[in-house]
Amino acid sequence: MAEFKKIGILTSGGDAPGMNAAIRSVTRYAIYKNIEVVGIMNGYQGLLDSQLRSMLEGDVSHVIDRGGTMLYTSRCEEFKTDAGLRKAVEICKQNEIDGIVTIGGDGTFRGANDLCKYGIPCIGLPGTIDNDIACTDATIGFDTAMNTVLNMVDRLRDTGESHARCNVVEVMGRKAGDIAIHTAIALGAEAVAIREYVFNEEYLYEKMLTAKKNGKRCFIVIVSEGTGRLFSEALAEQIQTKTGISTNFAKLAHIQRGGSPSLVDRVLATRMGCEAVELLTNGIAGRVVCLQGRDIVSVDIKLSQIMDKMLNNTLKSGDLDGIPPENIEMMQKRVNERIEYKKFQYDLVDILSR
Ligand code: F6P
C-alpha cells in the first residue's frame, strides 16, 4: 500500500450543525498522524472547480461551536456524469490528494461511491439533520435540530396555554419522520403526522374535543414536511373548523438547520471524524462511518445505500444481485429494527397524550 500523505475533506448537500466539528476533528487528527489536509470548498462542485485550501490546526480553531459549514456546500449535477468524475480524479491526482472524507447525506454518499469506483478512496460521514441514513443510529446535526425544535415549540406552548390555542408545527424531514416523532415525544404533543403512516384526522378531532372538555387549553401537533407541501397548513385549518379550537400554523423550516451544535452532535462528529481518518490511513475506503449503539463502526457505502432503499421501500429488481445472503439478512434485520422502533415511538405519542 502506497503511503497515505494527503487527505481532502468536503461537505455536500444540505448543511447540518456539527459539520464544522467533523471538519475540525478530521483536520486535527490527520495532522496528528502527519497527514496533510486540504479543504475542498463548495462540495463536489468546488472539487471540479479546484477550489482547494490547505488546512492547518489554526484554521479549525473556534469552529466546533459554529453551525453551518466553514467549507460551504452545494449540490452538483456535473458530478453525476462520467466526464465530471474523470475531471475530479484528475484534480485529485494533480493535487496529490490520496483520499477524501465527504460529509453529507445520501446524495453525498452516491458521489463518494462513484469517486471510489473511479479510483479515489472516499469515506462518508453522515451529516444531515433528517437522520435518514439507515445504517447509523444518529446522523450529525439530528440532535441539534431536535433541540432547536423543542426550544421553539416550548415558546409556542407558553402562548398557546395563555390563549387556549392549538399549534400545528411543521418540522423538516423530507423522507424520514424522525425529527417529528422524537420532538413530538419530547414536547408531549397531541399527535404527530409523518409520511410513513396514514394519519387519522377524525380521531385527532375527537381526542382534542374530549381533552378540551376535561380542561386542556393548549395543544401541539407536530407534522413532518414529508407529508406533503400543503398537508400541515390544511390540517391546521381543519382542526380549527372541526373542533372550534383556535389554531395557529408554524413552519420552522431552515431555522432547524442552523445554530450552534449540541454536545451530542459535537462529540458524535468528533468521533466520526477520527474514525474516517483511521480508515483511510489504514487503506480502507468506500465506507460510511456510523453510530451503532455506543460504538463507532463503518458500513460499506453500497450496503448503506441499499439499506436506505429498504427503509424507504424503493428497492428495485437487481439491487440485491450479487450480495451475499448473510449481508441481505443483516441489512433486513437492521432496517426492521429501525421500523419497529419508529412505530413504537409513533404509538407512544398518542398513548401518552390521552
Ligand atoms: O437536510 C435535509 C433537509 O433539511 C430536508 O429535510 C429538507 O427537505 C431539505 O433539506 C431542504 O434543503 P434545501 O432547502 O437546502 O434544498
Side-chain angles (χ1 to χ4, degrees):
M1 187 179 93
E3 202 192 339
F4 198 100
K5 291 198 195 118
K6 202 189 276 183
I7 205 166
I9 175 163
L10 63 78
T11 49
S12 151
D15 61 355
M19 281 184 163
N20 284 326
I23 294 165
R24 172 182 179 269
S25 87
V26 169
T27 302
R28 294 220 170 139
Y29 197 69
I31 293 172
Y32 159 75
K33 298 197 104 194
N34 291 320
I35 291 159
E36 259 184 80
V37 183
V38 175
I40 301 164
M41 304 302 293
N42 281 313
Y44 292 120
Q45 186 60 56
L47 178 57
L48 295 179
D49 298 339
S50 293
Q51 293 177 33
L52 311 176
R53 58 171 278 191
S54 81
M55 304 277 283
L56 298 174
E57 290 98 327
D59 294 316
V60 289
S61 290
H62 205 154
V63 301
I64 198 166
D65 56 334
R66 277 174 41 202
T69 159
M70 65 178 285
L71 296 177
Y72 308 144
T73 181
S74 66
R75 304 187 199 269
C76 177
E77 286 305 311
E78 192 186 349
F79 207 75
K80 293 178 185 160
T81 66
D82 175 64
L85 285 157
R86 281 177 197 278
K87 189 169 161 192
V89 172
E90 205 40 54
I91 289 163
C92 287
K93 296 227 161 103
Q94 278 163 12
N95 291 280
E96 297 175 324
I97 295 171
D98 297 313
I100 301 182
V101 178
T102 65
I103 311 172
D106 53 354
T108 307
F109 297 160
R110 214 175 307 125
N113 190 33
D114 289 343
L115 210 42
C116 283
K117 282 193 216 146
Y118 279 69
I120 303 295
C122 289
I123 294 291
L125 297 192
T128 161
I129 65 164
D130 289 359
N131 205 38
D132 58 352
I133 307 290
C135 61
T136 184
D137 294 349
T139 53
I140 297 166
F142 176 49
D143 184 70
T144 306
M146 290 190 297
N147 280 301
T148 302
V149 172
L150 289 197
N151 192 292
M152 296 293 128
V153 182
D154 280 346
R155 289 159 198 245
L156 289 175
R157 183 191 287 285
D158 290 344
T159 161
E161 187 72 30
S162 309
H163 290 264
R165 278 188 184 137
C166 171
N167 280 288
V168 174
V169 182
E170 184 186 300
V171 300
M172 272 188 167
R174 194 170 19 202
K175 284 187 267 172
D178 290 44
I179 294 178
I181 291 193
H182 283 80
T183 55
I185 288 181
L187 288 159
E190 215 57 29
V192 59
I194 62 173
R195 81 188 254 282
E196 291 91 323
Y197 308 121
V198 176
F199 186 69
N200 188 340
E201 293 177 34
E202 295 303 324
Y203 172 75
L204 173 65
Y205 308 143
E206 283 304 311
K207 184 179 168 185
M208 286 178 70
L209 285 171
T210 308
K212 188 182 165 192
K213 252 189 239 145
N214 293 333
K216 192 171 170 75
R217 291 175 59 82
C218 175
F219 301 86
I220 303 287
V221 176
I222 302 290
V223 181
S224 179
E225 67 168 328
T227 49
R229 212 164 62 80
L230 300 173
F231 178 82
S232 43
E233 215 164 343
L235 180 65
E237 277 169 24
Q238 280 301 305
I239 289 175
Q240 178 147 326
T241 309
K242 295 284 169 77
T243 64
I245 298 167
S246 161
T247 303
N248 288 344
F249 170 70
K251 179 172 174 159
L252 298 184
H254 292 76
I255 281 179
Q256 298 157 90
R257 289 250 293 264
S260 180
S262 65
L263 176 141
V264 169
D265 276 329
R266 294 183 201 193
V267 173
L268 180 67
T270 300
R271 293 178 72 197
M272 286 182 160
C274 295
E275 179 65 13
V277 175
E278 280 295 341
L279 290 169
L280 280 177
T281 53
N282 283 302
I284 301 166
R287 300 187 73 83
V288 174
V289 178
C290 308
L291 177 73
Q292 292 188 356
R294 285 169 167 267
D295 301 326
I296 297 292
V297 298
S298 71
V299 169
D300 182 279
I301 291 190
K302 289 182 288 303
L303 297 190
S304 124
Q305 288 171 321
I306 287 173
M307 274 190 252
D308 289 347
K309 287 185 181 176
M310 285 174 162
L311 192 62
N312 297 323
N313 254 323
T314 53
L315 261 191
K316 290 199 212 79
S317 72
D319 279 346
L320 298 179
D321 288 357
I323 299 174
E326 61 272 21
N327 281 355
I328 297 176
E329 203 180 310
M330 173 280 285
M331 292 190 288
Q332 200 61 68
K333 183 168 176 284
R334 183 165 173 86
V335 168
N336 288 348
E337 280 169 5
R338 208 170 152 131
I339 291 168
E340 273 167 36
Y341 176 65
K342 190 177 276 191
K343 183 71 173 69
F344 171 68
Q345 287 182 306
Y346 179 79
D347 291 341
L348 265 191
V349 174
D350 176 44
I351 292 167
L352 298 181
S353 61
R354 278 179 200 166

